[in-house]
Amino acid sequence: LDKINQLKAKYGQSFTDIENALTERKERLEKIENFDAYIEELKNKIDAEEKALNKAAAALTSFRQHSATELGWKLQKALVDLNFPDVKFTIDVRETEVYTISGRDEVEFMISSNPGEPLRPLKNIASGGELSRVMLALKTVLADTDSIDTLIFDEIDTGISGRTAQKVSESLSRLAKRHQVICITHLPQIAAMADHHFLIRKNVKDERTVTEIKELEGDEITDELSRIIGGAKVTDTVRQSAEEMKKLADDFKKNSEGEVL
């Protein structure tokens, strides 16, 4: 009993704990006595796991390369619709020596926006406006497959104007067939395409800055479009331009199928 109590003090508070400790040490002793065989067994297990890992990674790489070709072509077509007439766009999938939770691939978007220019990484050469349009193109292409209900575009009009702005507004309208689209903009071409208009402004009340959001209706929409177009001074000509811009946007939406922006 004294011996058992000594063992309890060292290995646990019950006889079962002592037996488990004995079993564990016997297994450890067996590994030490047969260390070479144990190491060989571990190497074989590692080899088998590496083969399975390589096979899974290779299958994932093949799938990515196939999908990258298709997605790159669709993105290039969508960018042409966003006033990149001479754009070239590809998705480069390269195998690396390092494994991650996502496989062993390095994926990079490559773009050439002007004739004669080589393909370069998008992150290195694209301006803010170009990045916004690439994101819009990506969301447009994936509209039927992603599960995002609401898309928010903040300042997607950065660095664009004129015909490009019109193209972007039309693309946003098509995207809104399958998603709720919220767009914060200062461009009249994009604002005119919306179904619902909200004016966001800051005011000082009781010596504090307060942000107010007001939904615009009827003539208020035309008034705000006129202000965006004309700046501080709104003339009759500017207002006529705003009314025509809104009418053109409404006509575009009526001629498009499904829900709009």
Side-chain angles (χ1 to χ4, degrees):
L1 290 176
D2 182 61
K3 184 64 175 177
I4 290 175
N5 286 331
Q6 290 179 18
L7 293 173
K8 282 183 178 181
K10 189 173 182 179
Y11 299 111
Q13 296 303 309
S14 69
F15 192 72
T16 301
D17 292 337
I18 297 172
E19 287 185 322
N20 290 338
L22 176 62
T23 301
E24 180 183 336
R25 279 153 180 76
K26 284 182 176 179
E27 291 176 352
R28 183 179 177 187
L29 179 61
E30 183 179 355
K31 289 178 181 178
I32 294 173
E33 291 175 342
N34 300 282
F35 190 71
D36 291 340
Y38 174 66
I39 292 299
E40 187 65 27
E41 182 183 358
L42 288 180
K43 287 182 178 179
N44 291 336
K45 287 182 179 179
I46 291 173
D47 289 342
E49 293 293 340
E50 283 187 345
K51 288 180 180 179
L53 180 61
N54 286 329
K55 184 177 180 181
L60 185 57
T61 297
S62 177
F63 179 79
R64 279 196 176 117
Q65 289 173 340
H66 174 77
S67 298
T69 300
E70 182 179 2
L71 179 59
W73 180 82
K74 289 182 177 179
L75 277 172
Q76 179 169 307
K77 185 175 182 297
L79 287 170
V80 171
D81 292 338
L82 291 173
N83 210 29
F84 278 97
D86 300 305
V87 69
K88 291 183 180 178
F89 192 96
T90 63
I91 301 175
D92 192 7
V93 180
R94 301 184 295 271
E95 286 190 84
T96 67
E97 298 299 322
V98 180
Y99 287 99
T100 69
I101 193 171
S102 300
R104 60 182 301 179
D105 303 317
E106 183 177 77
V107 181
E108 192 165 40
F109 285 0
M110 309 290 289
I111 189 171
S112 168
S113 55
N114 296 307
E117 291 186 359
L119 288 164
R120 293 191 178 94
L122 175 67
K123 62 182 180 181
N124 294 340
I125 66 168
S127 64
E130 289 172 336
L131 284 175
S132 297
R133 279 185 281 168
V134 171
M135 178 58 69
L136 177 56
L138 182 61
K139 289 298 183 182
T140 302
V141 169
L142 299 179
D144 293 331
T145 58
D146 66 29
S147 57
I148 300 174
D149 296 323
T150 300
L151 299 174
I152 301 175
F153 293 95
D154 186 7
E155 306 291 355
I156 196 172
D157 52 27
T158 301
I160 64 174
S161 60
R163 181 56 182 159
T164 300
Q166 182 63 31
K167 288 282 190 178
V168 169
S169 71
E170 293 172 0
S171 182
L172 285 168
S173 179
R174 287 189 290 267
L175 183 61
K177 293 177 182 179
R178 296 175 178 83
H179 300 271
Q180 179 190 41
V181 175
I182 298 174
C183 187
I184 302 168
T185 182
H186 294 96
L187 280 183
Q189 295 95 328
I190 294 178
M193 193 65 72
D195 281 342
H196 301 278
H197 301 254
F198 295 86
L199 175 62
I200 303 173
R201 59 188 172 191
K202 291 183 179 180
N203 291 317
V204 178
K205 291 185 178 180
D206 299 327
E207 298 183 352
R208 292 193 61 188
T209 301
V210 179
T211 300
E212 296 179 341
I213 301 177
K214 177 186 177 183
E215 184 172 7
L216 303 179
E217 297 179 357
D219 291 340
E220 293 178 325
I221 297 173
T222 306
D223 292 341
E224 187 59 25
L225 287 175
S226 300
R227 188 190 66 79
I228 297 175
I229 296 172
K233 187 174 182 180
V234 177
T235 64
D236 291 340
T237 302
V238 170
R239 187 172 180 81
Q240 289 175 2
S241 297
E243 291 174 347
E244 183 179 6
M245 185 175 292
K246 184 60 180 170
K247 182 180 183 303
L248 289 173
D250 291 341
D251 290 343
F252 175 83
K253 291 186 293 184
K254 287 178 182 179
N255 294 328
S256 300
E257 296 180 358
E259 299 177 0
V260 293
L261 191 63

